[in-house]
Structures are given as structure tokens and as C-alpha cells.
Amino acid sequence: MTEEPGEDDAAPEVPAYPDLVERIVNLSKRRGFIFPSAEVYGGFRSTYDYGPLGVLMLRNVKDAWWRSMVQMRDDVVGIDAAILSSPRIWEASGHLANFTDPLVDCRNCHERWRADKIDGTCPNCGSTDLTEPRAFNLMFKTYAGPVEEDATVAYLRPETAQGMFVNFLNVLTTTRKKPPFGIAQVGKSFRNEITPQNFVFRTREFEQMEMEYFVPPDEADRWFHYWLDERMRWYLDLGIPAGKLRLRHHDADELSHYSAATADVEFLFPWGWDELEGIANRTDFDLKAHAAHSGERLEYFDQSTGERYVPYVIEPAAGATRTMMAFLLAAYDEDEVGGERRTVLHLDPRLAPYQVAVLPLSKKDELMPLSRQVLGILQPVAVCDFDTTQSIGRRYRRQDEVGTPYCVTVDFDSLEDHSVTVRDRDTTEQVRVPIDRLAEEIAGRLRC
Ligand code: ATP
């Protein structure tokens, strides 16, 4: 089942660039967004490092989420829980028993696959001679302390969500929040995926942005729909085109054991519709499970009515790294400017690694003091690049390619008229702006 804005059974659009993933992978490496990890040693098992531009963009994705989910609300607070976690958490949550994928081996080429992601045929050699699926637990196990024994087993968290459930009482008592209220967290999660794939779409180490929204049980359905709308709006507002975004409701037989309703926010990736975020009504499953295992009363007591109850939970759970990839894919374009072909990322200014590039027209010494002064004026209001190399045309192209919305050029006239040229990435329109109004002008444009 699907909902607006993506059409129910609309045929996927013909992609503008059939090799788009490859182009994004190349651009990411060439320009410092994302590097294969440990590349000097030939890479390491589908892990990635975020470079100077990638770290800025990923931070922008996470900040945009935090701003909308925490900063702009008075009913959601944040936490940052430990990654290294007690087995008791994962026993209670069901992850130790159930967080598995069905693993099959190809008897012909000995590759391993997730049975639910292949069609009974080995994608490597085409053989149908596969083993019976067996449950493979995705959690990374390690030891906390110098002795490797059962008593020191710890797990790297496979999701951030449990940090919110086990801190439910801590947050309740320290903040005096009452349902409906939420606890949000952004951070790394780890899953020993059988087949990491599609660049940073599926990796073993990734970042999540999750929020647990605790509500009176009889309001759960209403809040579930509220969060579906809110989350769709977030992606659209940051520039994902409506035609590339849809909600897909899980059918009853697809629901997780704890869920009363789940819908995925899906993006039209070059390989088809795939998940960016899952939004679930998790009922009171998690709080009850942790209460049963810990012996703590994980409930809300309403002093005004004397009522005591276990809240239901609505969970919007998104991937930061996966979402960053979707924003890059959606922003990529090639066009022509003045008869010359350019690659451009039409990133929302809130997501672009640099919001402004300050470009002295020439490397000549006489332009440097004013150029540095302009940079100093802009740095407090925007993340700035400062580039003095190559011709101005080449530098505009380089900034377009990494999605910088505005270039500010300091030229020889600037020394006389104390003005600079502001160039818009998307329209390539240039306007002259007095330096003493520049910070205000740029801040105003970035706010729009
Ligand atoms: P999938 O079905 O793709 O394995 P999931 O339904 O298990 O994902 P959730 O547990 O709902 O995923 O996690 C919430 C979000 O975290 C996902 O929508 C996705 O954006 C992100 N995510 C999950 N696993 C990975 C991964 N291995 N690499 C990158 N992001 C991930």
C-alpha cells in the first residue's frame, strides 16, 4: 500500500543518468565526500570514511533532523547513549533471539547471500544449488574488559532505539515530561550485514536518527499518522522531489512482532524504491519487555488523575548515512552554462557542505587582504570555502559540483567600490553587493 506524494503503482521514472550511483561514488571520492576506508591497504570490507566535504554534509543532515525533531519542539528531548552495551538490553529487546537474517551459501561458488534478497538463484554465478537458509545474528559481539569470557560479553548496538527505552525513567524524572513526549538520538549503529551493498546504502557501520515518542495508548494511532506526515514533510522540505518519495505501509504479514502498524518512507533509488526510514507503532512492547527483564516499573504515573499506564511508542527511525546518499542522488545534475557543460549538485543550502565560497579573482597579493576580510565577515554566518587556485570559471565549476549555493568573488573593482559579486549556483545569476551589507544579504538568502 502506498500514499501520496509518490503514486501507488506509478512506473519508476526513466533515470536521467543510468550510471548515477557510479557517478556519485566517483564524485564522492574525487571531491572528498566519501572515501573507501583503509584505501591504502586496498579497502576494508565495505566500510567508508567521510572526508572534508562528507563530514560537513553528514553533519548538516543530522543537524537538520535534530533541528526539526528536537530544537523546534518542546515535547522532545535528546540523549546520547553508550554504543557498547549490555547483553541484558538485547536479551530483553529480543535482538539476541530474533535479530537475524536468513543466510544461504551457494554450493557452487561459495558466496553467501541474504535469502530474502535473492530469487533462489546465486547473483554471482547463477546457480540454484543453495543451502537451506539459517538464522544469522547481525549483532557485533565483543568483550568489555581484558578477559574474553561469557561474563564480559558486550554488543555494539545494532540500533539507537533501545538507549531511549532503558533511559525512559531517567528522562521522565529529570525532565518532568509527560506523554505525549519523545526522546531522540543520533549516532552510530552496527550490523554485521551479510551483503553490504550500494555504496553507503547498506553498510556494517552506519548512523541512525531515531526518536521514540511515548503516548497514551488510545492516542497511538493518531500520533502514528501525525509522524508519517511530519517525516514526509521533512524530506520534501529539504529537496527530495515528490515524485521520488513515497510511503509504503507494511501488510499485516510483514509487520515486526512488536508492531501494530509500520510504514516505510521510500526513495526512488536508481535500482528502484527502497527504504530511507521506518515509522512504527511499537505499542508497549519495549517498555514492558525491559520492565519484565529489569524488575523496574517502566510506567507513567499521572499525578493529576492518579492513573498509571505503560505508554505506547511511535518510532520514526531514519538512517543518516543512507539519507545523505539519497540527497546526493536527488541533487545530481548536469547542464550547460555559457556553452560549457557542468556538473551541479542542487543541494538545499542547509545540506550543502559549503554554503559560500570566497574567491579572489586573482592570486595577486593586492586582493588578499580584502578577500580575507570578506571571508572573516562571512564565516560567522555560513560555512565557507576559500579558494585561490585556477581560473575563476574553473573555480565556479568546482563549487557547483559540490553544491555550494553561493560564490562571492572579490575583484579589483572591489578595492574601489567596496562591493563583491555574489553568484547563485542554480541560476548562475550574479549581483553586486556592498561588503558592509554582505553578511546580511547572505544570511537572508540562506534563511529562504
Ligand atoms: P533494511 O530492511 O534496509 O535492512 P531495516 O528495516 O532493518 O533496514 P531499521 O531497523 O528500521 O532498518 O533501521 C532504520 C533505518 O536505519 C533504516 O531505514 C535505514 O535508513 C537505516 N539503516 C538500517 N540498516 C542500515 C545499514 N546496514 N546501512 C545503512 N543504513 C541502515
Side-chain angles (χ1 to χ4, degrees):
M1 235 196 308
T2 51
E3 277 181 16
E4 288 289 309
E7 287 295 308
D8 194 354
D9 45 8
E13 289 168 29
V14 178
Y17 308 101
D19 56 349
L20 184 56
V21 174
E22 213 178 303
R23 288 176 194 228
I24 292 297
V25 172
N26 291 339
L27 189 147
S28 293
K29 171 137 194 287
R30 194 172 70 249
R31 299 305 313 276
F33 283 85
I34 302 173
F35 307 122
S37 194
E39 205 184 2
V40 291
Y41 294 108
F44 181 67
R45 299 186 165 268
S46 308
T47 52
Y48 293 93
D49 297 340
Y50 288 72
L53 297 195
V55 74
L56 291 171
M57 184 172 171
L58 183 58
R59 179 175 293 193
N60 290 343
V61 171
K62 294 185 286 186
D63 284 352
W65 186 90
W66 191 269
R67 184 179 160 82
S68 105
M69 301 296 276
V70 184
Q71 184 184 336
M72 299 299 287
R73 311 184 61 98
D74 64 359
D75 57 349
V76 179
V77 293
I79 61 165
D80 187 7
I83 289 173
L84 207 54
S85 47
S86 161
R88 297 195 58 195
I89 293 178
W90 308 109
E91 192 188 335
S93 68
H95 281 74
L96 271 177
N98 300 321
F99 196 56
T100 58
D101 276 340
L103 171 70
V104 291
D105 293 83
C106 171
R107 289 200 181 89
N108 183 42
C109 72
H110 306 295
E111 283 287 337
R112 294 191 155 151
W113 305 103
R114 233 176 100 171
D116 60 329
K117 296 278 178 190
I118 60 173
D119 246 356
T121 310
C122 173
N124 186 44
C125 71
S127 167
T128 52
D129 190 7
L130 306 174
T131 59
E132 281 301 305
R134 57 190 189 282
F136 172 74
N137 196 297
L138 298 180
M139 283 199 295
F140 279 97
K141 190 176 179 178
T142 185
Y143 297 91
V147 185
E148 297 193 3
E149 58 185 7
D150 284 354
T152 59
V153 166
Y155 291 93
L156 301 189
R157 65 180 179 200
E159 61 175 34
T160 61
Q162 298 304 320
M164 277 77 103
F165 298 127
V166 297
N167 280 295
F168 172 73
L169 277 189
N170 285 336
V171 172
L172 205 59
T173 50
T174 53
T175 64
R176 302 185 158 268
K177 293 281 176 208
K178 54 188 268 189
F181 82 99
I183 311 178
Q185 179 168 207
V186 173
K188 290 227 166 164
S189 292
F190 301 82
R191 297 182 186 178
N192 200 0
E193 299 278 0
I194 297 166
T195 42
Q197 59 191 349
N198 291 328
F199 196 35
V200 295
F201 177 82
R202 186 181 302 288
T203 48
R204 296 196 172 102
E205 173 178 346
F206 56 97
E207 286 206 67
Q208 289 190 305
M209 310 182 287
E210 298 193 296
M211 198 271 284
E212 309 303 322
Y213 198 70
F214 300 93
V215 301
D218 60 356
E219 294 180 15
D221 192 50
R222 178 162 73 79
W223 285 111
F224 174 66
H225 286 95
Y226 167 87
W227 283 110
L228 296 185
D229 291 347
E230 281 297 297
R231 295 304 304 143
M232 287 294 279
R233 209 185 348 261
W234 186 80
Y235 293 97
L236 295 169
D237 177 51
L238 285 170
I240 300 283
K244 291 205 155 111
L245 198 70
R246 73 175 190 186
L247 266 181
R248 187 182 67 81
H249 286 264
H250 288 206
D251 291 330
D253 59 357
E254 196 189 344
L255 289 178
S256 312
H257 55 286
Y258 52 73
S259 171
T262 298
D264 291 342
V265 177
E266 293 189 333
F267 174 71
L268 187 55
F269 284 92
W271 58 87
W273 290 103
D274 222 330
E275 174 181 336
L276 288 179
E277 167 164 355
I279 300 159
N281 173 356
R282 298 179 68 117
T283 68
D284 53 9
F285 173 85
D286 306 272
L287 288 179
K288 280 195 167 155
H290 285 297
H293 281 73
S294 67
E296 293 281 340
R297 281 182 114 170
L298 303 183
E299 301 168 339
Y300 174 70
F301 176 61
D302 188 338
Q303 278 174 340
S304 61
T305 62
E307 195 193 356
R308 186 182 287 284
Y309 65 90
V310 181
Y312 269 34
V313 173
I314 310 302
E315 175 194 76
T321 38
R322 188 179 285 187
T323 298
M324 173 173 154
M325 180 175 173
F327 282 125
L328 284 172
L329 291 165
Y332 186 92
D333 202 7
E334 288 177 21
D335 60 10
E336 247 176 52
V337 176
E340 214 187 297
R341 208 144 175 83
R342 70 164 180 171
T343 298
V344 55
L345 292 183
H346 294 290
L347 288 172
D348 185 285
R350 289 165 292 180
L351 300 179
Y354 293 122
Q355 295 163 320
V356 178
V358 176
L359 310 174
L361 186 66
S362 117
K363 259 195 255 183
K364 293 221 169 81
D365 284 350
E366 48 193 306
L367 284 186
M368 281 308 139
L370 186 61
S371 301
R372 294 218 155 263
Q373 193 188 331
V374 166
L375 178 66
I377 288 170
L378 289 175
Q379 276 171 330
V381 295
V383 179
C384 299
D385 191 15
F386 186 74
D387 187 2
T388 60
T389 59
Q390 300 183 319
S391 74
I392 192 71
R394 294 281 284 279
R395 279 181 278 161
Y396 283 153
R397 295 296 101 79
R398 282 176 59 78
Q399 296 297 337
D400 291 342
E401 194 185 41
V402 299
T404 309
Y406 301 108
C407 288
V408 170
T409 305
V410 181
D411 56 26
F412 292 97
D413 288 345
S414 305
L415 300 173
E416 305 299 325
D417 67 3
H418 288 275
S419 296
V420 288
T421 301
V422 175
R423 172 185 178 272
D424 181 299
R425 172 196 70 200
D426 296 334
T427 62
T428 71
E429 204 175 85
Q430 305 190 8
V431 291
R432 202 78 183 155
V433 176
I435 293 172
D436 59 7
R437 289 221 318 267
L438 186 60
E440 196 188 333
E441 166 76 21
I442 292 290
R445 286 182 183 223
L446 291 173
R447 266 198 301 275
C448 295

